[in-house]
């Protein structure tokens, strides 16, 4: 008899789990609270512009990257064009000096040495890390739960040559590394190139390494289009999605998950339930809060989330199409600004000139993203007027900052859109509106080899979202969806199968 699976959430992890489950002969239904697929991987139309949200840096866009095969199996990349950025970031100081973080490490090293001969040794070291990790293949195969001795050995052979350096770069903060540069432009450039996000040196080196091989970029058409391709693959495999329906409870009988209850009281039964949404709400709300493994408890108590972010999109009747393909332009501000409860001395903006789907011909979409304080926005939750006023103030601060760079912009603005952590929380239910999860420390990884995807005392329920595959992100979300189906197939004694749809 065909076994059935219900998946909570049609984000990338839920869609991925759905596709793999359908490929393996399960009858699959996804229940999604929102009216569209994608979850955080989304875009929205405003006054003729497309505000894109997620695929700034999609890993796995070329065959040499470990995630390429997953995107192929999910039908996400067939027939799709990708932009490979020329620059990770172009950083400009107030005095006009420009630090271009080329995606090509040879050009980057040359440029850094030209900017500051006194930092030549450090430029060597930095670009050496990028070259070294360009050859690193993130192991994307079986879940840790199913790895036998031989699998472990095979993985170790791939990882071992990188282990020491990996540990060193994870333990070294960007701030500490940046402080070693003598030239303030290089120092501030390294510190601010990645949205000024506090993190390890590895968090900058790894995306640069990916870009250097042209295996990570931006999908033309944007994030929602990307998610819709996976939804189409799922439906093509026979799956169904019920949109606009919130799951309120995981049903159980005798220690076994038996289905889900919907907000209108309807009960849907299934042999397995996969929760592909926020971890906290799954454990505390969809379950009764009593089945929390110690590692999950630790995650819920963490105050080191990567986000959340405040995102400001501006559509303008300005033709900026001759700009280079940079993931980000970063410029120093004459005076600090305050966004989302934090102070910024450097402003970031992304010009989507490389995607014709984002702005009407001859016009431009500029997008800025700032890591912010959840508490700053949370306190405005019950006060719509104050919330709106703070969004308007945020937009004004950004427009002022942009005026220094694009002189005529104020009079050419046609669209302004501000998304806050409350926006992300409202649309996806993610805790504190976060867009990623957190970066596990080496100490955490020593204690927990992997994050469990089951809960104590309840069989047949699996946890599939980005939360169980930190630090989050699109490939991790897709991967964890695949892992869960591998685990279910193994317990059902089935050989796990995948197929690749044609171009
Ligand atoms: C601004 C921004 C920039 C980003 N940049 C990048 C990037 O450059 N590269 C990268 O790899 N990643 C990036 N990410 C992160 C990436 O988008 C996410 O990590 C990934 O999409 C998470 O997928 P998910 O399926 O785990 O969760 P989600 O996308 O949160 O999906 C969960 C789904 O479950 C639904 N749901 C929740 N509760 C219920 C319920 N009770 N009943 C029914 N449905 C429910 C939600 O509506 C949602 O659709 C970015 C994200 C944002 C927001």
């Amino acid at each position: 008899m065909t076994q059935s699976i219900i998946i909570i959430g049609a984000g990338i992890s839920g869609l991925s789990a759905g596709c793999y489950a359908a490929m393996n002969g399960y009858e699959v239904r996804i229940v999604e609270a929102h009216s569209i697929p994608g979850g955080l991987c989304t875009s929205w139309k405003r006054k003729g512009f497309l505000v894109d949200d997620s695929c700034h840096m999609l890993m796995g866009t070329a065959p040499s990257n470990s995630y390429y095969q997953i995107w192929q199996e999910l039908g996400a990349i067939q027939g799709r064009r990708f932009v490979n950025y020329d620059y990770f970031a172009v950083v400009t100081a107030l005095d006009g000096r420009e630090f271009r973080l080329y995606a090509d490490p040879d050009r980057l090293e040359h440029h850094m040495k030209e900017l500051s001969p006194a930092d030549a040794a450090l430029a060597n070291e930095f670009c050496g890390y990028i070259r070294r990790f360009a050859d690193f293949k993130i192991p994307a195969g079986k879940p840790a739960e199913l790895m036998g001795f031989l699998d472990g050995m095979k993985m170790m052979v791939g990882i071992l040559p990188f282990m020491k350096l990996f540990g060193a770069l994870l333990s070294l903060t960007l701030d500490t590394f940046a402080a070693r540069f003598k030239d303030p432009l290089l120092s501030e450039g390294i510190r601010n190139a990645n949205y000024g996000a506090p993190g390890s040196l590895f968090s900058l080196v790894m995306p640069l390494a990916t870009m250097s091989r042209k295996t990570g970029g931006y999908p033309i058409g944007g994030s929602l289009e990307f998610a819709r391709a996976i939804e189409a693959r799922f439906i093509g495999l026979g799956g169904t999605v019920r949109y606009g329906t919130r799951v309120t409870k995981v049903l159980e009988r005798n220690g076994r998950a038996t289905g889900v209850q919907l907000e209108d009281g309807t009960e849907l039964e299934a042999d397995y339930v996969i929760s592909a949404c926020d971890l906290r709400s799954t454990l505390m709300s969809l379950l009764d809060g009593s089945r929390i493994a110690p590692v999950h408890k630790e995650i819920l108590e963490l105050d080191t989330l990567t986000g959340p972010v405040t995102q400001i999109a501006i559509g303008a009747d300005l033709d900026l199409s001759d700009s280079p393909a940079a993931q980000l332009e970063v410029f120093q501000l004459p005076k600090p600004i305050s966004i989302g409860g934090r102070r910024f001395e450097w402003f970031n903006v992304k010009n989507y000139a490389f995607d014709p789907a984002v702005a009407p011909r001859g016009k431009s979409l500029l997008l800025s993203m700032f890591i912010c304080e959840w508490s700053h926005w949370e306190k405005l939750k019950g006060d719509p007027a104050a919330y709106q006023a703070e969004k308007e103030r945020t937009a004004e601060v950004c427009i002022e900052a942009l005026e220094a760079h694009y002189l005529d912009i104020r009079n050419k603005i046609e669209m302004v859109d501000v998304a806050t952590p409350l926006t992300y929380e409202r649309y996806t239910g993610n805790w504190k509106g976060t867009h990623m999860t957190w970066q596990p420390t080496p100490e955490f990884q020593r204690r927990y080899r992997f994050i469990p995807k089951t809960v104590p005392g309840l069989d047949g329920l699996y946890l599939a979202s980005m939360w169980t595959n930190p630090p989050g992100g699109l490939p991790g979300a897709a991967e964890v969806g695949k892992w869960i189906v591998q685990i279910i197939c193994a317990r059902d004694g089935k050989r796990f199968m995948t197929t690749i749809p044609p171009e």
Side-chain angles (χ1 to χ4, degrees):
M1 205 176 83
T2 308
Q3 287 186 293
S4 59
I5 301 183
I6 288 181
I7 298 172
I8 309 167
I12 296 303
S13 65
L15 290 169
S16 165
C19 288
Y20 286 109
M23 281 180 226
N24 283 280
Y26 291 91
E27 183 217 311
V28 203
R29 284 171 289 174
I30 300 182
V31 183
E32 165 57 50
H34 200 358
S35 54
I36 49 173
L40 290 166
C41 181
T42 197
S43 336
W44 54 89
K45 277 261 180 216
R46 284 281 181 285
K47 299 185 179 172
F49 294 88
L50 186 75
V51 181
D52 197 62
D53 209 40
S54 183
C55 291
H56 296 278
M57 165 64 182
L58 177 74
M59 276 172 100
T61 57
S64 59
N65 187 284
S66 326
Y67 294 115
Y68 181 78
Q69 189 186 334
I70 295 187
W71 297 131
Q72 262 194 322
E73 289 163 350
L74 296 177
I77 53 177
Q78 283 85 339
R80 192 169 303 280
R81 280 197 307 120
F82 291 94
V83 172
N84 289 307
Y85 299 108
D86 299 325
Y87 306 95
F88 185 88
V90 177
V91 182
T92 312
L94 272 180
D95 60 9
R97 284 179 79 219
E98 206 176 76
F99 172 22
R100 281 166 263 144
L101 272 103
Y102 289 97
D104 173 351
D106 296 340
R107 292 185 78 183
L108 175 60
E109 186 179 322
H110 181 73
H111 174 61
M112 288 174 86
K113 287 177 178 171
E114 254 181 4
L115 281 175
S116 173
D119 286 310
L122 213 45
N124 261 343
E125 184 182 329
F126 182 57
C127 296
Y129 294 147
I130 297 168
R131 288 190 199 95
R132 185 80 187 95
F133 277 98
D135 296 328
F136 179 58
K137 273 204 181 296
I138 297 175
K142 279 185 185 174
E145 288 89 333
L146 297 184
M147 277 198 190
F149 178 72
L150 279 179
D151 299 311
M153 290 301 285
K154 215 171 119 192
M155 194 174 91
M156 282 313 281
V157 169
I159 291 184
L160 212 56
F162 297 92
M163 275 298 248
K164 211 168 144 208
L165 191 56
F166 181 62
L169 297 197
L170 263 186
S171 322
L172 186 59
T173 67
L174 262 179
D175 257 3
T176 314
F177 184 72
R180 287 169 58 197
F181 285 91
K182 295 191 177 66
D183 182 345
L185 176 61
L186 293 188
S187 186
E188 290 299 326
I190 295 287
R191 197 174 276 129
N192 290 288
N194 204 4
Y195 301 96
S200 65
L201 179 55
F202 188 73
S203 68
L204 178 62
V205 166
M206 196 57 215
L208 267 160
T210 307
M211 277 186 197
S212 75
R213 284 279 192 264
K214 299 192 189 307
T215 58
Y218 165 85
I220 294 287
S223 301
L224 181 57
E225 277 301 301
F226 184 77
R228 281 204 192 282
I230 306 179
E231 181 212 37
R233 168 82 168 132
F234 174 61
I235 290 167
L237 285 161
T240 57
V241 193
R242 186 163 169 167
Y243 286 110
T245 310
R246 184 171 294 280
V247 171
T248 50
K249 194 175 172 184
V250 173
L251 300 171
E252 53 179 273
R253 201 178 312 124
N254 303 326
R256 166 97 204 192
T258 56
V260 296
Q261 186 176 67
L262 310 180
E263 54 196 336
D264 67 0
T266 309
E267 295 190 351
L268 304 178
E269 294 211 338
D271 296 302
Y272 295 105
V273 176
I274 300 176
S275 178
C277 63
D278 176 63
L279 180 68
R280 173 176 285 265
S281 53
T282 300
L283 297 177
M284 306 303 286
S285 165
L286 304 185
L287 296 170
D288 63 4
S290 68
R291 289 195 185 80
I292 305 186
V295 55
H296 293 150
K297 184 164 185 292
E298 219 175 293
I299 295 169
L300 298 187
E301 284 168 358
L302 278 172
D303 59 357
T304 54
L305 294 181
T306 310
V309 295
T310 301
Q311 179 184 280
I312 305 95
I314 294 191
D317 186 9
L318 272 181
D319 187 351
L320 304 171
S321 55
D322 58 352
S323 306
Q327 187 199 213
L328 219 54
E329 290 174 55
V330 181
F331 52 88
Q332 193 174 15
L333 293 159
K335 57 180 191 333
I337 56 172
S338 150
I339 292 181
R342 287 200 188 181
R343 191 171 166 274
F344 295 91
E345 293 177 9
W346 294 79
F347 193 83
N348 74 71
V349 62
K350 177 174 191 153
N351 174 0
Y352 277 86
F354 43 73
D355 188 352
V358 165
R361 194 178 254 278
K363 301 186 180 183
S364 301
L365 191 283
L366 301 171
L367 188 131
S368 303
M369 202 168 87
F370 297 91
I371 308 271
C372 66
E373 298 296 332
W374 162 249
S375 57
H376 178 83
W377 292 105
E378 189 198 21
K379 65 176 189 275
L380 304 176
K381 231 177 183 177
D383 188 343
Y387 178 57
Q388 185 55 30
E390 179 58 4
K391 280 174 74 168
E392 282 166 18
R393 188 200 66 81
T394 304
E396 178 53 32
V397 162
C398 290
I399 293 166
E400 251 177 56
L402 286 170
E403 276 182 309
H405 217 57
Y406 308 102
L407 295 181
D408 208 15
I409 193 161
R410 184 176 290 276
N411 301 321
K412 304 284 174 98
I413 292 176
E414 296 185 347
M415 186 280 302
V416 178
D417 181 89
V418 179
T420 76
L422 297 185
T423 317
Y424 296 114
E425 188 202 40
R426 187 165 67 251
Y427 283 107
T428 67
N430 276 297
W431 183 40
K432 296 190 177 181
T434 192
H435 68 307
M436 301 278 275
T437 56
W438 83 104
Q439 182 75 53
T441 59
E443 191 272 327
F444 183 94
Q445 283 173 325
R446 262 193 298 280
R447 281 187 296 125
Y448 300 110
R449 199 163 60 85
F450 60 89
I451 312 286
K453 293 155 202 84
T454 52
V455 298
L458 187 63
D459 193 21
L461 172 78
Y462 293 92
L463 307 170
S465 74
M466 63 176 178
W467 291 93
T468 51
N469 195 14
L474 299 155
E479 181 180 47
V480 74
K482 182 175 184 175
W483 283 345
I484 298 295
V485 179
Q486 285 173 293
I487 292 170
I488 293 177
C489 284
R491 77 174 271 176
D492 284 347
K494 281 185 173 197
R495 197 164 145 253
F496 178 73
M497 308 278 289
T498 62
T499 53
I500 293 180
E503 282 282 318

